[in-house]
Amino acid sequence: RYNGMEGTEAVWDVAFDQENNMYLALGRPTDKLWLIDSSLATVYYLNPQTTDFRIEIAIDYRGIIWQTHTDAGLSMIDTKNTLFDRNDDEYRNYTKSDGIASNYMRGCLVTQDNVFYACTDTGLVVFDSTGFYNRDDISDAELLDIELDSQRRLWILARDGIHSLDPSSNTVNHWTFADLGVDIDFLESIAAMT
């Protein structure tokens, strides 16, 4: 335990904001999003405990914290730039009923243009200045993770291969594992890890 932070079975993700504060998405039994200030002196959890896994964290340029969940969609925390004061925090959970493609979320990121992307089992969820929309043209397989390269292309790992999306030209490219001669045995679920 570090400065009162509860024990855990796993760290699912770590992220840093512009002030170098560290965010940790911890697995069971805590299942909380923890914040450690940049001097490593203050430990604080930002949101209520949940019963699902928090998979990834992304922090946009307004300081809004996005989290993907295994079966509960996507959550957003706006701390109103008062990180260590929960009194003014705004929490919002987005699910299929809000228009996102799936409640089963995986990897996520925020681009330099402050556009949020999240992988799901049915496509890519995008949140920009106009709101949410979904892309189902990346792959027919479950999307697992997403990364951004120096040319601002998105690279998406799916169960069937690697895909790239260039948002500026709206171009999608596909490389299947079969075509690459790669044989990967993915776990069927996080539950299979326990």
Side-chain angles (χ1 to χ4, degrees), residues 62-80:
R62 299 166 296 168
I64 299 208
I65 304 152
W66 297 92
Q67 299 173 93
T68 59
H69 300 267
T70 54
D71 291 313
L74 173 66
S75 62
M76 178 273 302
I77 303 171
D78 184 352
T79 64
K80 311 289 186 198

Side-chain angles (χ1 to χ4, degrees), residues 1-2 8 15-16 24 33 51-52 80 103 112 121 168:
R1 295 179 190 252
Y2 179 73
T8 186
F16 292 86
L24 295 168
L33 178 65
T51 57
D52 63 304
K80 311 289 186 198
N103 289 339
Q112 296 97 324
D121 58 338
S168 64

Side-chain angles (χ1 to χ4, degrees), residues 16-17 19-22 35-42 84:
F16 292 86
D17 64 20
E19 286 79 41
N20 286 323
N21 296 304
M22 182 187 329
L35 168 64
I36 303 173
D37 75 329
S38 59
S39 68
L40 302 178
T42 304
F84 296 95

